[in-house]
Amino acid sequence: MRKFIFIFFLMITSFQASAQMFDNPSVWKSSIEKKSDTEFIITWNATVKEGWHLYSQHTPDGGPLPLEFIYNNQTDNYTLVGQATESQTTTTYNDIFGVDETYFVGDITLVQKITLDNPEVATIQVEVAYQVCEEVCISQSNLFVYDLKTLTTTEVQNFEEYNNQDAVVDNLAGKQQDEKDLPGAKQEQKGLFTIFFFSFLSGFAALLTPCVFPMIPMTVSFFTKQSKTRAKGIKNAVFYGLSIIFIYVILGTIVTAVFGADSLNELSTSVTFNIIFFIILIVFASSFLGAFEIMLPNSWANKVDSQADRGGLIGILFMALALAIVSFSCTGPIVGTLLVEAASKGGIAPIVGMFGFSLALALPFMLFAMFPGWLNSMPRSGGWLNTVKVSLGFLELALAFKFLSNADLVLQTHYLEREVFLSIWIVIFGLWALYLLGKIRLPHDSPMDSISVGRLFMAILVSVFTIYMIPGLWGAPLKLISGFPPPMTYSESPYGVGGRSGSAGGPASAVLPVGAKLAAHDIMAFTDYQQGMDYAKSVNKPVLLDFTGFACVNCRKMEDYVWSDAAIQSILKNEVVLISLYVDDRQELPVSEQYISKTSGKKVKTIGNKWSDFQMENYKANAQPYYIILDQDGTQLSQPVGYMPDIAQYEQWLRQGIDKK
């Protein structure tokens, strides 16, 4: 069953809610120099990425956060000689803050002289805290540990994990190697691999469309017949394939440049974006189903085709470009879907996506050129190619309603609740099954007296999936498509037909404390940080801080797959206080509570803006889901983690944090 679901969702796996950190816009190095037995000079050098600026120590109060040096000198082991000197700065007036701000651009040098008061001191620790800005502002910190005996410097990565001097020493000794791996970095790697994998499968799907598939034997035959030697033909075909990859990767690079290197998390939760993309996917689906063809101007193809006649490697490059233009009516909707999905993740995701897509598209041209005998085993072009195209249209149509559902969830309008969404999907996949069985014909279908065995098997799989979804109308969890339909809590019957609040062992709503609500699986959750922390103090329990979103697919997957486990539920209901902060809540804050963010420089107007800014300012992250264990005073008891579908691993992480209380 899982393999079957995997086949259906090669085009509709969502990339919207994966974890992402900001790229580092500044790189720091530091050194220490001994002048005498008691005098030392510490130097910091930093390079700020082009377009960014970093604020000076002398930025006045009321403006952006100034650079600050925080010394671990609790026992007066040493004395600072004056304030750290700075290299060249720039001062300009900031209209937002109404102050003259002083900042660095490019290369930075800061120097601090220190006099030892205690000759037994072995190390000095200095945290450099600063704010670096472009269109958004990011508050960052670096921790440096200086060995006064060897005059070496160690920059401690992820220093926020360490709560005391012993932990820093342990890290330097390599005793906490298991904590050095950032879950966020791991998740980012997994996210990029997922994008590549599904983009590759999407490229393979595009390959089986009427616009591309017939061109394989034609193109390969051209290279093998026009080349003087077989080796030359193979070389030309390989260059042709590499040219296809180059063209699509350039497209991904352009999208990356347009959207920027940082994660565009707001894009994936934007009501406007989701509604626009819903409309775009409806257009794409209509094209695949045969209503019309989306084509680039014929003049483009003619101009490119004329250049392809030049011959040589340049001519082959233009042949690849001609393929991209001519096949656009089939590949355009797939490429468009992949690019917008990847762009919502930010970073190099569009480049990775286009590389995966184009690699699948180019490989057959190269392989068949190397082994031309394989051409004889290729299936002939025919009506089955249109069947593939129409099937992609049904998938695009289903995915379109996921984006409309995202907009509805963010606005909390309850127009597209779980039952309505599932009804739409059941109808779409049911019609797809009837189409595969030959009961429905669309504009470009050829008449047929019978269906192939392969088409019959596909019809059976689609029919099984359609029937699988039907019990979801009465409250079945439907874990195989977790994250795509709205959650159970967003439905006409949150507990299923005949169900009731508290039936799963959770507290009844009548006895919930102020500010709390019943979340997934009747787990009590607070949606306000301070109310949750106050309650945690009153019951003497640690806090599970959950940064989430109404339109966050991976958040729903965690709730459906992981939080549904009996052991996890027991922990969340009995051993911690859950605080779920929705970063895409569009409810406006009272005017008196709106403010200018110190991290982004933008006005915080909504509840979602508030919690997103809170996450970025305190945890230097903007991804959801994002989990942290805190004590009642807000001190971190665990290293934050993101999407973690392994139940045993998640339980272990919860236990490690709770046991530190």
Side-chain angles (χ1 to χ4, degrees):
M1 189 67 174
R2 292 183 182 272
K3 291 182 179 178
F4 147 65
I5 295 299
F6 169 79
I7 293 173
F8 288 131
F9 289 97
L10 81 120
M11 284 296 297
I12 57 176
T13 296
S14 173
F15 306 130
Q16 293 176 310
S18 312
Q20 281 241 357
M21 300 288 187
F22 282 108
D23 286 347
N24 193 356
S26 63
V27 178
W28 286 77
K29 293 182 180 179
S30 185
S31 61
I32 188 167
E33 179 184 359
K34 184 176 181 179
K35 291 296 185 181
S36 68
D37 289 341
T38 59
E39 290 184 343
F40 293 84
I41 302 293
I42 298 178
T43 302
W44 294 272
N45 297 105
T47 299
V48 181
K49 187 184 296 184
E50 184 178 356
W52 292 75
H53 57 274
L54 188 150
Y55 289 103
S56 156
Q57 302 170 92
H58 307 301
T59 294
D61 293 338
L65 296 179
L67 183 146
E68 181 182 9
F69 294 99
I70 304 169
Y71 296 85
N72 185 4
N73 187 26
Q74 297 177 351
T75 55
D76 297 326
N77 289 321
Y78 50 86
T79 301
L80 306 180
V81 181
Q83 193 175 23
T85 60
E86 299 181 345
S87 56
Q88 184 177 356
T89 58
T90 301
T91 300
T92 57
Y93 183 75
N94 188 313
D95 292 330
I96 295 177
F97 294 105
V99 298
D100 289 325
E101 57 183 20
T102 303
Y103 56 87
F104 304 95
V105 293
D107 296 329
I108 304 170
T109 300
L110 301 113
V111 179
Q112 177 67 63
K113 184 177 180 181
I114 290 179
T115 302
L116 288 187
D117 299 323
N118 179 2
E120 301 300 322
V121 174
T123 61
I124 293 176
Q125 297 176 36
V126 185
E127 176 186 342
V128 185
Y130 54 93
Q131 190 172 69
V132 60
C133 300
E134 188 191 32
E135 293 180 355
V136 298
C137 292
I138 308 172
S139 297
Q140 295 185 315
S141 299
N142 298 68
L143 178 63
F144 297 96
V145 179
Y146 306 93
D147 189 316
L148 302 185
K149 305 300 182 185
T150 62
L151 298 181
T152 57
T153 304
T154 302
E155 182 178 359
V156 181
Q157 303 292 336
N158 315 320
F159 66 87
E160 289 175 326
E161 300 171 14
Y162 306 104
N163 297 320
N164 52 51
Q165 168 70 15
D166 293 336
V168 174
V169 174
D170 285 346
N171 176 69
L172 296 176
K175 295 180 181 179
Q176 294 188 350
Q177 186 65 37
D178 58 324
E179 292 187 7
K180 284 186 177 181
D181 293 327
L182 273 176
K186 288 182 178 179
Q187 185 59 35
E188 182 175 359
Q189 292 174 357
K190 291 179 181 178
L192 291 176
F193 176 78
T194 301
I195 289 174
F196 172 82
F197 181 70
F198 283 99
S199 296
F200 184 86
L201 292 180
S202 299
F204 183 72
L207 191 68
L208 301 179
T209 59
C211 312
V212 181
F213 188 81
M215 299 184 71
I216 297 175
M218 294 169 52
T219 306
V220 172
S221 297
F222 172 82
F223 286 127
T224 55
K225 291 178 181 179
Q226 297 297 321
S227 302
K228 294 181 179 180
T229 64
R230 183 170 180 270
K232 182 68 173 178
I234 293 174
K235 177 183 176 182
N236 289 341
V238 169
F239 184 77
Y240 178 74
L242 294 176
S243 298
I244 293 173
I245 295 173
F246 173 76
I247 290 167
Y248 282 100
V249 169
I250 287 295
L251 179 60
T253 304
I254 293 172
V255 172
T256 300
V258 171
F259 285 97
D262 292 332
S263 169
L264 300 180
N265 187 60
E266 289 187 7
L267 185 66
S268 63
T269 58
S270 164
V271 173
T272 302
F273 165 80
N274 280 283
I275 291 177
I276 290 175
F277 201 42
F278 163 74
I279 296 171
I280 291 174
L281 285 184
I282 291 293
V283 173
F284 286 166
S286 300
S287 174
F288 272 153
L289 292 172
F292 49 82
E293 286 194 359
I294 303 173
M295 299 180 65
L296 295 175
N298 289 330
S299 59
W300 292 16
N302 294 334
K303 288 180 181 179
V304 171
D305 193 51
S306 64
Q307 294 296 321
D309 294 334
R310 295 172 56 181
L313 297 182
I314 297 297
I316 294 174
L317 177 62
F318 277 100
M319 283 181 64
L321 184 57
L323 170 70
I325 294 175
V326 172
S327 64
F328 184 80
S329 61
C330 292
T331 60
I334 302 174
V335 170
T337 302
L338 289 174
L339 281 176
V340 180
E341 287 275 345
S344 68
K345 283 184 64 63
I348 63 170
I351 299 175
V352 173
M354 287 300 94
F355 176 70
F357 176 85
S358 59
L359 182 62
L361 208 60
L363 275 177
F365 292 95
M366 294 188 283
L367 291 175
F368 281 113
M370 294 178 185
F371 308 100
W374 291 2
L375 288 172
N376 297 325
S377 62
M378 280 184 63
R380 295 182 179 180
S381 300
W384 68 272
L385 290 174
N386 191 66
T387 301
V388 172
K389 187 177 178 182
V390 170
S391 295
L392 292 174
F394 279 111
L395 286 172
E396 294 264 358
L397 189 60
L399 181 58
F401 284 95
K402 171 57 188 167
F403 286 91
L404 186 62
S405 172
N406 286 346
D408 183 67
L409 283 165
V410 171
L411 292 174
Q412 292 288 287
T413 58
H414 289 266
Y415 290 137
L416 197 59
E417 292 183 322
R418 184 180 177 88
E419 293 89 347
V420 177
F421 181 93
L422 287 175
S423 297
I424 293 171
W425 268 35
I426 289 168
V427 170
I428 291 173
F429 283 92
L431 289 174
W432 185 13
L434 291 174
Y435 170 79
L436 291 172
L437 289 170
K439 303 300 182 183
I440 298 174
R441 280 183 57 191
L442 290 172
H444 298 296
D445 288 322
S446 303
M448 59 180 179
D449 298 324
S450 62
I451 62 173
S452 66
V453 174
R455 184 164 175 166
L456 174 63
F457 284 162
M458 192 65 183
I460 292 173
L461 289 176
V462 176
S463 299
V464 169
F465 178 64
T466 304
I467 295 171
Y468 167 78
M469 288 191 291
I470 293 174
L473 297 173
W474 288 273
L478 304 182
K479 288 187 177 182
L480 292 179
I481 56 172
S482 172
F484 285 94
M488 283 291 296
T489 53
Y490 196 80
S491 64
E492 294 180 7
S493 304
Y495 301 94
V497 176
R500 60 185 179 84
S501 175
S503 60
S509 58
V511 297
L512 290 177
V514 176
K517 69 171 188 177
L518 291 180
H521 314 295
D522 274 355
I523 299 168
M524 186 180 72
F526 289 84
T527 55
D528 180 84
Y529 178 79
Q530 194 55 53
Q531 287 180 331
M533 294 301 297
D534 291 342
Y535 180 76
K537 288 180 181 179
S538 69
V539 295
N540 192 30
K541 288 183 180 180
V543 167
L544 173 61
L545 186 58
D546 164 32
F547 288 98
T548 184
F550 294 118
C552 172
V553 173
N554 283 348
C555 302
R556 301 294 84 77
K557 288 181 178 179
M558 285 293 294
E559 293 166 6
D560 292 345
Y561 276 99
V562 181
W563 289 12
S564 61
D565 179 78
I568 302 297
Q569 277 195 48
S570 177
I571 294 173
L572 298 185
K573 289 180 178 180
N574 303 313
E575 299 184 44
V576 299
V577 174
L578 176 63
I579 302 178
S580 295
L581 305 180
Y582 288 82
V583 301
D584 55 2
D585 189 335
R586 293 297 189 262
Q587 183 178 343
E588 285 205 7
L589 292 165
V591 176
S592 60
E593 296 181 21
Q594 296 179 11
Y595 63 95
I596 301 297
S597 167
K598 293 181 180 179
T599 55
S600 68
K602 298 179 180 179
K603 191 169 186 179
V604 173
K605 296 182 178 180
T606 67
I607 292 175
N609 293 156
K610 176 182 176 181
W611 299 134
S612 179
D613 184 60
F614 179 78
Q615 182 185 8
M616 287 190 288
E617 181 176 354
N618 291 279
Y619 304 106
K620 311 299 184 294
N622 70 336
Q624 295 80 45
Y626 198 69
Y627 305 108
I628 312 146
I629 303 288
L630 308 174
D631 66 13
Q632 297 96 315
D633 297 318
T635 302
Q636 274 186 228
L637 299 177
S638 70
Q639 184 175 340
V641 298
Y643 179 59
M644 187 182 286
D646 187 302
I647 294 175
Q649 186 181 4
Y650 190 72
E651 182 180 6
Q652 181 183 18
W653 174 81
L654 285 172
R655 286 290 176 203
Q656 287 175 346
I658 294 170
D659 291 345
K660 289 182 181 179
K661 180 180 177 298

